[in-house]
Amino acid sequence: MSAFKEIFKAAKRIVILSGAGISAESGIPTFRGSGGFWRTYRSQDLASYGAFRRDPSLVWEFYHYRRELVFTKKPNAAHQAVASLEAQCNRQVTVITQNVDGLHQSAGSKNVIELHGSLFKTRCLSCGEIKENKDSPICPALEGRGAPEADAPSRDCIPEALLPRCKKCSGLLRPHIVWFGENLETSVLAQAGEALDECDLCLVIGTSSVVYPAAMFAPQVAERGVPVAEFNMEPTPATHQFMFHFEGPCGTTVPEALK
Ligand code: BV8
Ligand code: ZN
C-alpha cells in the first residue's frame, strides 16, 4: 500500500473504472454469484434487444424491479471516497462506470461516464428521444410487478400499450441501457478513450473484467506503462496485468487507499 500511496500522491489525472462490485455493499446484487439471477433468468438473458422484442413486458418487469431496488439503496464508502477525491481541486478525476445504478452521481461524483447507460433514462423506439426518468413506478401497469423470486407467480403479460410510452410520439420506450450485442455509444467511447489516454493512474474497482469492450480499458492503460490498481474480492483474468491488487471489500480498501 505504501508504494501505491507514493504514486497516488503524485498522480494528477486519475481514472476510476468501476463495475457492479462497487455497489455490492450498497445492497445491489452483482451479475456474478447468486445475485446475478432474477426469477429463473440470468441478467444477460434479459439484457438483450432480442429478449426485449420477444417479451417487452418481462424485460420491463426486470428493469422496473432494478429501478425500484436502487431507489431504496445509498452509495457506500467506496462511492463516497471516489466523490471526495474528485472534490479535491488539485487533480482531474474521471469515473468510467459499467454500472447503471447512478450511485456514483448520488455520492457527488460529477465527471461520470456511464458506459452502459442508466436505469433512469429511457429511449423511444420510434423517435429516439432519450429522457431522464425517475418515476416510481415508471408506468401504472408495472406497479407491484417485478417480484424477483424464481417462483414468483407468473402473471399475465402487460399489453405493449400499457408499457412505458413516449410522451412525444407515444412510441414504446426501452431502457437507455447498452444490452449485450449492442454497440456502446461512439461519443461515450470517445470520451472514455480520451480520459484513459491521458490518465497517469487508473483504479479498477469491483469488476470481473469479462465484459468487452470495458474489460480492455484498464489493460490498455497498463500497456502504456501507467500504474493500475485493482480493488476486488478476488483475482480476475486481468489482475496479472496490473501493478497493484488490493483484495477485500472495496467499501474498506478504497477509502483506505484514497485517504
Ligand atoms: C459489444 C447493462 C460490439 C445491462 C451490460 C456474442 C454476441 C454479441 C456480443 C458478444 C458476443 N460474445 C462476446 C460479446 C461481446 C459482449 C461481451 O463482452 N460478452 C461477455 C459476456 C463475454 N459485449 C457486448 O455485447 C458489448 N457490446 O461488444 O458491441 C458488438 C456488437 C455485436 C456483436 C459483437 C460485438 C455490450 C456489453 C454491455 C452489456 N451491458 N450492462 C444491464 O445492466 O442490464 S454489461 C454488465 O455486465 C455490466 O454493465 C458489466 O459491464 C458486466 C458485469 O460485469 P461487472 O460489472 O464486472 O460485474 P460482475 O458481477 O461480473 O463482477 C463483480 C465483480 O466485483 C467481481 O469481480 C467480484 O469479485 C467483485 N466484487 C463483488 N463484491 C465486491 C467486489 N469487489 C470489491 N468489493 C466488493 N464488495
Ligand atoms: Zn417517441
Side-chain angles (χ1 to χ4, degrees):
M1 185 57 98
S2 56
F4 170 79
K5 291 267 190 190
E6 280 306 300
I7 293 172
F8 171 59
K9 231 177 16 238
K12 287 277 167 262
R13 293 175 308 287
I14 304 174
V15 160
I16 315 272
L17 187 62
S18 68
I22 199 170
S23 297
E25 291 163 82
S26 295
I28 298 182
T30 64
F31 289 84
R32 294 156 41 102
S34 57
F37 282 82
W38 177 78
R39 294 198 186 148
T40 56
Y41 304 93
R42 281 179 323 149
S43 301
Q44 54 222 61
D45 303 330
L46 297 163
S48 80
Y49 184 66
F52 185 74
R53 267 297 174 223
R54 273 193 302 279
D55 191 344
S57 172
L58 180 73
V59 174
W60 262 119
E61 279 202 76
F62 173 54
Y63 282 98
H64 164 69
Y65 163 71
R66 291 171 65 192
R67 287 164 55 98
E68 298 301 318
L69 180 75
V70 172
F71 284 137
T72 68
K73 304 299 179 198
K74 289 194 210 33
N76 62 61
H79 296 106
Q80 274 142 15
V82 166
S84 38
L85 176 66
E86 182 182 337
Q88 288 167 20
C89 47
N90 58 348
R91 354 201 188 201
Q92 159 100 34
V93 176
T94 307
V95 174
I96 301 176
T97 187
Q98 299 169 78
N99 299 338
V100 293
D101 58 29
L103 289 185
H104 279 296
Q105 293 92 323
S106 318
S109 285
K110 303 264 176 296
N111 194 6
V112 181
I113 300 170
E114 293 180 312
L115 284 178
H116 298 154
S118 165
L119 283 170
F120 306 108
K121 281 185 186 157
T122 58
R123 185 163 86 238
C124 175
L125 288 181
S126 308
C127 72
E129 187 186 56
I130 295 167
K131 271 191 88 171
E132 170 110 8
N133 180 308
K134 294 209 164 179
D135 297 347
S136 168
I138 188 166
C139 67
L142 279 166
E143 174 78 66
R145 304 277 301 231
E149 294 72 29
D151 57 356
S154 71
R155 301 171 44 178
D156 49 318
C157 257
I158 299 171
E160 254 188 53
L162 298 180
L163 289 174
R165 308 298 303 196
C166 175
K167 288 204 174 32
K168 242 171 78 180
C169 76
S170 74
L172 177 63
L173 295 181
R174 60 169 278 178
H176 183 53
I177 278 187
V178 180
W179 282 330
F180 285 96
E182 293 186 323
N183 285 305
L184 281 66
E185 280 184 44
T186 30
S187 56
V188 165
L189 277 174
Q191 236 193 321
E194 206 179 304
L196 290 158
D197 289 348
E198 283 165 15
C199 74
D200 55 8
L201 175 62
C202 175
L203 311 186
V204 200
I205 305 175
T207 180
S208 57
S209 291
V210 296
V211 172
Y212 288 82
M216 285 182 317
F217 294 169
Q220 274 166 345
V221 171
E223 261 145 47
R224 277 198 302 118
V226 170
V228 178
E230 182 182 48
F231 295 79
N232 202 302
M233 296 300 280
E234 59 187 14
T236 71
T239 304
H240 66 284
Q241 302 178 69
F242 302 147
M243 193 180 285
F244 302 100
H245 172 79
F246 298 113
E247 201 129 312
C250 60
T252 308
T253 55
V254 169
E256 170 55 34
L258 301 189
K259 71 179 183 207

PDB file of all heavy atoms in Angstrom, residues 159-187:
ATOM      1  N   PRO A 159     -49.902  -5.637 -21.672  1.00  0.00           N
ATOM      2  CA  PRO A 159     -50.006  -5.282 -23.101  1.00  0.00           C
ATOM      3  C   PRO A 159     -49.058  -4.123 -23.436  1.00  0.00           C
ATOM      4  O   PRO A 159     -48.858  -3.226 -22.596  1.00  0.00           O
ATOM      5  CB  PRO A 159     -51.462  -4.841 -23.265  1.00  0.00           C
ATOM      6  CG  PRO A 159     -52.171  -5.141 -21.989  1.00  0.00           C
ATOM      7  CD  PRO A 159     -51.146  -5.443 -20.922  1.00  0.00           C
ATOM      8  N   GLU A 160     -48.461  -4.178 -24.629  1.00  0.00           N
ATOM      9  CA  GLU A 160     -47.479  -3.168 -25.025  1.00  0.00           C
ATOM     10  C   GLU A 160     -48.010  -1.749 -24.837  1.00  0.00           C
ATOM     11  O   GLU A 160     -47.279  -0.850 -24.440  1.00  0.00           O
ATOM     12  CB  GLU A 160     -47.074  -3.370 -26.503  1.00  0.00           C
ATOM     13  CG  GLU A 160     -45.677  -3.956 -26.621  1.00  0.00           C
ATOM     14  CD  GLU A 160     -45.162  -3.999 -28.035  1.00  0.00           C
ATOM     15  OE1 GLU A 160     -45.173  -2.945 -28.723  1.00  0.00           O
ATOM     16  OE2 GLU A 160     -44.755  -5.098 -28.446  1.00  0.00           O
ATOM     17  N   ALA A 161     -49.306  -1.589 -25.068  1.00  0.00           N
ATOM     18  CA  ALA A 161     -49.896  -0.230 -24.986  1.00  0.00           C
ATOM     19  C   ALA A 161     -49.793   0.324 -23.564  1.00  0.00           C
ATOM     20  O   ALA A 161     -49.775   1.534 -23.357  1.00  0.00           O
ATOM     21  CB  ALA A 161     -51.353  -0.291 -25.413  1.00  0.00           C
ATOM     22  N   LEU A 162     -49.679  -0.587 -22.572  1.00  0.00           N
ATOM     23  CA  LEU A 162     -49.621  -0.131 -21.165  1.00  0.00           C
ATOM     24  C   LEU A 162     -48.191  -0.106 -20.630  1.00  0.00           C
ATOM     25  O   LEU A 162     -47.966   0.227 -19.467  1.00  0.00           O
ATOM     26  CB  LEU A 162     -50.492  -1.035 -20.281  1.00  0.00           C
ATOM     27  CG  LEU A 162     -51.987  -1.044 -20.632  1.00  0.00           C
ATOM     28  CD1 LEU A 162     -52.760  -1.973 -19.681  1.00  0.00           C
ATOM     29  CD2 LEU A 162     -52.557   0.375 -20.584  1.00  0.00           C
ATOM     30  N   LEU A 163     -47.222  -0.472 -21.467  1.00  0.00           N
ATOM     31  CA  LEU A 163     -45.805  -0.360 -21.054  1.00  0.00           C
ATOM     32  C   LEU A 163     -45.396   1.097 -21.195  1.00  0.00           C
ATOM     33  O   LEU A 163     -46.150   1.905 -21.742  1.00  0.00           O
ATOM     34  CB  LEU A 163     -44.944  -1.287 -21.919  1.00  0.00           C
ATOM     35  CG  LEU A 163     -45.126  -2.788 -21.638  1.00  0.00           C
ATOM     36  CD1 LEU A 163     -44.345  -3.639 -22.645  1.00  0.00           C
ATOM     37  CD2 LEU A 163     -44.719  -3.133 -20.205  1.00  0.00           C
ATOM     38  N   PRO A 164     -44.205   1.486 -20.690  1.00  0.00           N
ATOM     39  CA  PRO A 164     -43.809   2.893 -20.788  1.00  0.00           C
ATOM     40  C   PRO A 164     -43.848   3.402 -22.233  1.00  0.00           C
ATOM     41  O   PRO A 164     -43.329   2.761 -23.140  1.00  0.00           O
ATOM     42  CB  PRO A 164     -42.381   2.876 -20.224  1.00  0.00           C
ATOM     43  CG  PRO A 164     -42.352   1.710 -19.288  1.00  0.00           C
ATOM     44  CD  PRO A 164     -43.237   0.677 -19.920  1.00  0.00           C
ATOM     45  N   ARG A 165     -44.533   4.525 -22.418  1.00  0.00           N
ATOM     46  CA  ARG A 165     -44.715   5.085 -23.760  1.00  0.00           C
ATOM     47  C   ARG A 165     -44.110   6.488 -23.813  1.00  0.00           C
ATOM     48  O   ARG A 165     -44.058   7.190 -22.814  1.00  0.00           O
ATOM     49  CB  ARG A 165     -46.200   5.187 -24.141  1.00  0.00           C
ATOM     50  CG  ARG A 165     -47.021   3.937 -23.981  1.00  0.00           C
ATOM     51  CD  ARG A 165     -46.630   2.740 -24.800  1.00  0.00           C
ATOM     52  NE  ARG A 165     -46.583   2.938 -26.245  1.00  0.00           N
ATOM     53  CZ  ARG A 165     -46.555   1.912 -27.111  1.00  0.00           C
ATOM     54  NH1 ARG A 165     -46.578   0.672 -26.656  1.00  0.00           N
ATOM     55  NH2 ARG A 165     -46.454   2.120 -28.403  1.00  0.00           N
ATOM     56  N   CYS A 166     -43.681   6.870 -24.999  1.00  0.00           N
ATOM     57  CA  CYS A 166     -43.068   8.188 -25.232  1.00  0.00           C
ATOM     58  C   CYS A 166     -44.125   9.291 -25.152  1.00  0.00           C
ATOM     59  O   CYS A 166     -45.197   9.183 -25.746  1.00  0.00           O
ATOM     60  CB  CYS A 166     -42.437   8.165 -26.633  1.00  0.00           C
ATOM     61  SG  CYS A 166     -41.747   9.733 -27.185  1.00  0.00           S
ATOM     62  N   LYS A 167     -43.801  10.340 -24.380  1.00  0.00           N
ATOM     63  CA  LYS A 167     -44.779  11.442 -24.229  1.00  0.00           C
ATOM     64  C   LYS A 167     -44.871  12.239 -25.536  1.00  0.00           C
ATOM     65  O   LYS A 167     -45.857  12.889 -25.827  1.00  0.00           O
ATOM     66  CB  LYS A 167     -44.350  12.366 -23.077  1.00  0.00           C
ATOM     67  CG  LYS A 167     -44.538  11.716 -21.700  1.00  0.00           C
ATOM     68  CD  LYS A 167     -44.692  12.715 -20.582  1.00  0.00           C
ATOM     69  CE  LYS A 167     -45.027  12.078 -19.228  1.00  0.00           C
ATOM     70  NZ  LYS A 167     -44.451  10.723 -19.001  1.00  0.00           N
ATOM     71  N   LYS A 168     -43.786  12.131 -26.358  1.00  0.00           N
ATOM     72  CA  LYS A 168     -43.768  12.949 -27.574  1.00  0.00           C
ATOM     73  C   LYS A 168     -44.536  12.274 -28.705  1.00  0.00           C
ATOM     74  O   LYS A 168     -45.372  12.871 -29.362  1.00  0.00           O
ATOM     75  CB  LYS A 168     -42.296  13.156 -28.023  1.00  0.00           C
ATOM     76  CG  LYS A 168     -41.847  14.642 -28.017  1.00  0.00           C
ATOM     77  CD  LYS A 168     -40.359  14.787 -28.240  1.00  0.00           C
ATOM     78  CE  LYS A 168     -39.965  14.609 -29.710  1.00  0.00           C
ATOM     79  NZ  LYS A 168     -38.504  14.767 -29.872  1.00  0.00           N
ATOM     80  N   CYS A 169     -44.243  10.959 -28.915  1.00  0.00           N
ATOM     81  CA  CYS A 169     -44.843  10.329 -30.100  1.00  0.00           C
ATOM     82  C   CYS A 169     -45.608   9.067 -29.744  1.00  0.00           C
ATOM     83  O   CYS A 169     -46.038   8.333 -30.624  1.00  0.00           O
ATOM     84  CB  CYS A 169     -43.730  10.009 -31.105  1.00  0.00           C
ATOM     85  SG  CYS A 169     -42.779   8.551 -30.618  1.00  0.00           S
ATOM     86  N   SER A 170     -45.704   8.790 -28.477  1.00  0.00           N
ATOM     87  CA  SER A 170     -46.362   7.606 -27.875  1.00  0.00           C
ATOM     88  C   SER A 170     -45.764   6.289 -28.360  1.00  0.00           C
ATOM     89  O   SER A 170     -46.378   5.235 -28.201  1.00  0.00           O
ATOM     90  CB  SER A 170     -47.886   7.642 -28.112  1.00  0.00           C
ATOM     91  OG  SER A 170     -48.169   7.328 -29.457  1.00  0.00           O
ATOM     92  N   GLY A 171     -44.533   6.349 -28.855  1.00  0.00           N
ATOM     93  CA  GLY A 171     -43.806   5.112 -29.210  1.00  0.00           C
ATOM     94  C   GLY A 171     -43.444   4.325 -27.957  1.00  0.00           C
ATOM     95  O   GLY A 171     -43.483   4.865 -26.841  1.00  0.00           O
ATOM     96  N   LEU A 172     -43.109   3.057 -28.123  1.00  0.00           N
ATOM     97  CA  LEU A 172     -42.716   2.217 -26.975  1.00  0.00           C
ATOM     98  C   LEU A 172     -41.323   2.657 -26.498  1.00  0.00           C
ATOM     99  O   LEU A 172     -40.412   2.863 -27.308  1.00  0.00           O
ATOM    100  CB  LEU A 172     -42.677   0.735 -27.408  1.00  0.00           C
ATOM    101  CG  LEU A 172     -42.216  -0.279 -26.352  1.00  0.00           C
ATOM    102  CD1 LEU A 172     -43.172  -0.292 -25.159  1.00  0.00           C
ATOM    103  CD2 LEU A 172     -42.115  -1.678 -26.964  1.00  0.00           C
ATOM    104  N   LEU A 173     -41.191   2.793 -25.186  1.00  0.00           N
ATOM    105  CA  LEU A 173     -39.896   3.165 -24.613  1.00  0.00           C
ATOM    106  C   LEU A 173     -39.119   1.918 -24.200  1.00  0.00           C
ATOM    107  O   LEU A 173     -39.717   0.903 -23.825  1.00  0.00           O
ATOM    108  CB  LEU A 173     -40.098   4.037 -23.358  1.00  0.00           C
ATOM    109  CG  LEU A 173     -40.750   5.411 -23.556  1.00  0.00           C
ATOM    110  CD1 LEU A 173     -40.850   6.145 -22.207  1.00  0.00           C
ATOM    111  CD2 LEU A 173     -39.971   6.242 -24.570  1.00  0.00           C
ATOM    112  N   ARG A 174     -37.794   2.012 -24.299  1.00  0.00           N
ATOM    113  CA  ARG A 174     -36.896   0.964 -23.767  1.00  0.00           C
ATOM    114  C   ARG A 174     -35.984   1.648 -22.754  1.00  0.00           C
ATOM    115  O   ARG A 174     -35.814   2.864 -22.780  1.00  0.00           O
ATOM    116  CB  ARG A 174     -36.065   0.305 -24.861  1.00  0.00           C
ATOM    117  CG  ARG A 174     -35.154   1.253 -25.626  1.00  0.00           C
ATOM    118  CD  ARG A 174     -34.172   0.513 -26.499  1.00  0.00           C
ATOM    119  NE  ARG A 174     -33.008   0.068 -25.716  1.00  0.00           N
ATOM    120  CZ  ARG A 174     -32.006  -0.652 -26.247  1.00  0.00           C
ATOM    121  NH1 ARG A 174     -32.037  -1.017 -27.512  1.00  0.00           N
ATOM    122  NH2 ARG A 174     -30.977  -1.025 -25.493  1.00  0.00           N
ATOM    123  N   PRO A 175     -35.354   0.856 -21.886  1.00  0.00           N
ATOM    124  CA  PRO A 175     -34.344   1.471 -21.016  1.00  0.00           C
ATOM    125  C   PRO A 175     -33.192   1.977 -21.889  1.00  0.00           C
ATOM    126  O   PRO A 175     -32.838   1.304 -22.887  1.00  0.00           O
ATOM    127  CB  PRO A 175     -33.877   0.317 -20.132  1.00  0.00           C
ATOM    128  CG  PRO A 175     -34.951  -0.725 -20.218  1.00  0.00           C
ATOM    129  CD  PRO A 175     -35.577  -0.579 -21.575  1.00  0.00           C
ATOM    130  N   HIS A 176     -32.644   3.137 -21.551  1.00  0.00           N
ATOM    131  CA  HIS A 176     -31.478   3.643 -22.326  1.00  0.00           C
ATOM    132  C   HIS A 176     -30.243   2.975 -21.737  1.00  0.00           C
ATOM    133  O   HIS A 176     -29.468   3.584 -21.006  1.00  0.00           O
ATOM    134  CB  HIS A 176     -31.393   5.174 -22.212  1.00  0.00           C
ATOM    135  CG  HIS A 176     -30.279   5.752 -23.038  1.00  0.00           C
ATOM    136  ND1 HIS A 176     -30.117   5.502 -24.380  1.00  0.00           N
ATOM    137  CD2 HIS A 176     -29.251   6.563 -22.670  1.00  0.00           C
ATOM    138  CE1 HIS A 176     -29.041   6.134 -24.823  1.00  0.00           C
ATOM    139  NE2 HIS A 176     -28.499   6.789 -23.808  1.00  0.00           N
ATOM    140  N   ILE A 177     -30.138   1.715 -22.042  1.00  0.00           N
ATOM    141  CA  ILE A 177     -29.079   0.860 -21.482  1.00  0.00           C
ATOM    142  C   ILE A 177     -28.474   0.075 -22.637  1.00  0.00           C
ATOM    143  O   ILE A 177     -29.186  -0.309 -23.554  1.00  0.00           O
ATOM    144  CB  ILE A 177     -29.701  -0.082 -20.409  1.00  0.00           C
ATOM    145  CG1 ILE A 177     -29.821   0.686 -19.081  1.00  0.00           C
ATOM    146  CG2 ILE A 177     -28.897  -1.355 -20.239  1.00  0.00           C
ATOM    147  CD1 ILE A 177     -30.241  -0.125 -17.900  1.00  0.00           C
ATOM    148  N   VAL A 178     -27.142  -0.131 -22.610  1.00  0.00           N
ATOM    149  CA  VAL A 178     -26.475  -0.907 -23.670  1.00  0.00           C
ATOM    150  C   VAL A 178     -26.668  -2.380 -23.357  1.00  0.00           C
ATOM    151  O   VAL A 178     -26.144  -2.873 -22.341  1.00  0.00           O
ATOM    152  CB  VAL A 178     -24.975  -0.583 -23.740  1.00  0.00           C
ATOM    153  CG1 VAL A 178     -24.311  -1.405 -24.855  1.00  0.00           C
ATOM    154  CG2 VAL A 178     -24.748   0.911 -23.978  1.00  0.00           C
ATOM    155  N   TRP A 179     -27.380  -3.097 -24.173  1.00  0.00           N
ATOM    156  CA  TRP A 179     -27.612  -4.524 -23.965  1.00  0.00           C
ATOM    157  C   TRP A 179     -26.509  -5.346 -24.617  1.00  0.00           C
ATOM    158  O   TRP A 179     -25.736  -4.840 -25.442  1.00  0.00           O
ATOM    159  CB  TRP A 179     -28.977  -4.889 -24.549  1.00  0.00           C
ATOM    160  CG  TRP A 179     -30.116  -4.475 -23.641  1.00  0.00           C
ATOM    161  CD1 TRP A 179     -30.090  -4.392 -22.267  1.00  0.00           C
ATOM    162  CD2 TRP A 179     -31.440  -4.073 -24.024  1.00  0.00           C
ATOM    163  NE1 TRP A 179     -31.305  -3.971 -21.795  1.00  0.00           N
ATOM    164  CE2 TRP A 179     -32.160  -3.789 -22.838  1.00  0.00           C
ATOM    165  CE3 TRP A 179     -32.093  -3.961 -25.241  1.00  0.00           C
ATOM    166  CZ2 TRP A 179     -33.491  -3.381 -22.851  1.00  0.00           C
ATOM    167  CZ3 TRP A 179     -33.423  -3.564 -25.246  1.00  0.00           C
ATOM    168  CH2 TRP A 179     -34.117  -3.279 -24.059  1.00  0.00           C
ATOM    169  N   PHE A 180     -26.418  -6.598 -24.243  1.00  0.00           N
ATOM    170  CA  PHE A 180     -25.408  -7.479 -24.839  1.00  0.00           C
ATOM    171  C   PHE A 180     -25.651  -7.544 -26.349  1.00  0.00           C
ATOM    172  O   PHE A 180     -26.798  -7.637 -26.799  1.00  0.00           O
ATOM    173  CB  PHE A 180     -25.473  -8.867 -24.205  1.00  0.00           C
ATOM    174  CG  PHE A 180     -24.869  -8.876 -22.829  1.00  0.00           C
ATOM    175  CD1 PHE A 180     -25.669  -8.744 -21.701  1.00  0.00           C
ATOM    176  CD2 PHE A 180     -23.490  -8.946 -22.665  1.00  0.00           C
ATOM    177  CE1 PHE A 180     -25.105  -8.707 -20.430  1.00  0.00           C
ATOM    178  CE2 PHE A 180     -22.918  -8.908 -21.388  1.00  0.00           C
ATOM    179  CZ  PHE A 180     -23.741  -8.787 -20.278  1.00  0.00           C
ATOM    180  N   GLY A 181     -24.573  -7.432 -27.085  1.00  0.00           N
ATOM    181  CA  GLY A 181     -24.697  -7.488 -28.550  1.00  0.00           C
ATOM    182  C   GLY A 181     -24.910  -6.109 -29.138  1.00  0.00           C
ATOM    183  O   GLY A 181     -24.923  -5.945 -30.339  1.00  0.00           O
ATOM    184  N   GLU A 182     -25.087  -5.097 -28.303  1.00  0.00           N
ATOM    185  CA  GLU A 182     -25.274  -3.731 -28.808  1.00  0.00           C
ATOM    186  C   GLU A 182     -23.980  -2.948 -28.654  1.00  0.00           C
ATOM    187  O   GLU A 182     -23.218  -3.170 -27.716  1.00  0.00           O
ATOM    188  CB  GLU A 182     -26.397  -3.021 -28.036  1.00  0.00           C
ATOM    189  CG  GLU A 182     -27.763  -3.627 -28.296  1.00  0.00           C
ATOM    190  CD  GLU A 182     -28.887  -2.833 -27.650  1.00  0.00           C
ATOM    191  OE1 GLU A 182     -28.710  -2.297 -26.531  1.00  0.00           O
ATOM    192  OE2 GLU A 182     -29.967  -2.749 -28.269  1.00  0.00           O
ATOM    193  N   ASN A 183     -23.759  -2.037 -29.576  1.00  0.00           N
ATOM    194  CA  ASN A 183     -22.553  -1.205 -29.507  1.00  0.00           C
ATOM    195  C   ASN A 183     -22.705  -0.131 -28.440  1.00  0.00           C
ATOM    196  O   ASN A 183     -23.815   0.326 -28.176  1.00  0.00           O
ATOM    197  CB  ASN A 183     -22.346  -0.512 -30.862  1.00  0.00           C
ATOM    198  CG  ASN A 183     -21.826  -1.506 -31.878  1.00  0.00           C
ATOM    199  OD1 ASN A 183     -20.814  -2.153 -31.651  1.00  0.00           O
ATOM    200  ND2 ASN A 183     -22.554  -1.682 -32.952  1.00  0.00           N
ATOM    201  N   LEU A 184     -21.603   0.258 -27.834  1.00  0.00           N
ATOM    202  CA  LEU A 184     -21.625   1.404 -26.931  1.00  0.00           C
ATOM    203  C   LEU A 184     -21.703   2.671 -27.796  1.00  0.00           C
ATOM    204  O   LEU A 184     -21.295   2.634 -28.954  1.00  0.00           O
ATOM    205  CB  LEU A 184     -20.353   1.426 -26.082  1.00  0.00           C
ATOM    206  CG  LEU A 184     -20.310   0.468 -24.875  1.00  0.00           C
ATOM    207  CD1 LEU A 184     -20.317  -0.984 -25.286  1.00  0.00           C
ATOM    208  CD2 LEU A 184     -19.108   0.751 -23.979  1.00  0.00           C
ATOM    209  N   GLU A 185     -22.262   3.744 -27.219  1.00  0.00           N
ATOM    210  CA  GLU A 185     -22.375   4.990 -27.993  1.00  0.00           C
ATOM    211  C   GLU A 185     -20.980   5.504 -28.354  1.00  0.00           C
ATOM    212  O   GLU A 185     -20.081   5.516 -27.490  1.00  0.00           O
ATOM    213  CB  GLU A 185     -23.099   6.051 -27.148  1.00  0.00           C
ATOM    214  CG  GLU A 185     -24.612   5.869 -27.153  1.00  0.00           C
ATOM    215  CD  GLU A 185     -25.298   7.003 -26.380  1.00  0.00           C
ATOM    216  OE1 GLU A 185     -24.916   8.178 -26.567  1.00  0.00           O
ATOM    217  OE2 GLU A 185     -26.186   6.678 -25.591  1.00  0.00           O
ATOM    218  N   THR A 186     -20.811   5.918 -29.585  1.00  0.00           N
ATOM    219  CA  THR A 186     -19.472   6.364 -30.028  1.00  0.00           C
ATOM    220  C   THR A 186     -18.993   7.555 -29.201  1.00  0.00           C
ATOM    221  O   THR A 186     -17.830   7.614 -28.827  1.00  0.00           O
ATOM    222  CB  THR A 186     -19.515   6.788 -31.531  1.00  0.00           C
ATOM    223  OG1 THR A 186     -20.820   7.275 -31.818  1.00  0.00           O
ATOM    224  CG2 THR A 186     -19.203   5.632 -32.433  1.00  0.00           C
ATOM    225  N   SER A 187     -19.929   8.468 -28.857  1.00  0.00           N
ATOM    226  CA  SER A 187     -19.492   9.647 -28.087  1.00  0.00           C
ATOM    227  C   SER A 187     -18.989   9.214 -26.701  1.00  0.00           C
ATOM    228  O   SER A 187     -17.998   9.716 -26.185  1.00  0.00           O
ATOM    229  CB  SER A 187     -20.662  10.617 -27.919  1.00  0.00           C
ATOM    230  OG  SER A 187     -21.749   9.915 -27.306  1.00  0.00           O
TER     231      SER A 187
END
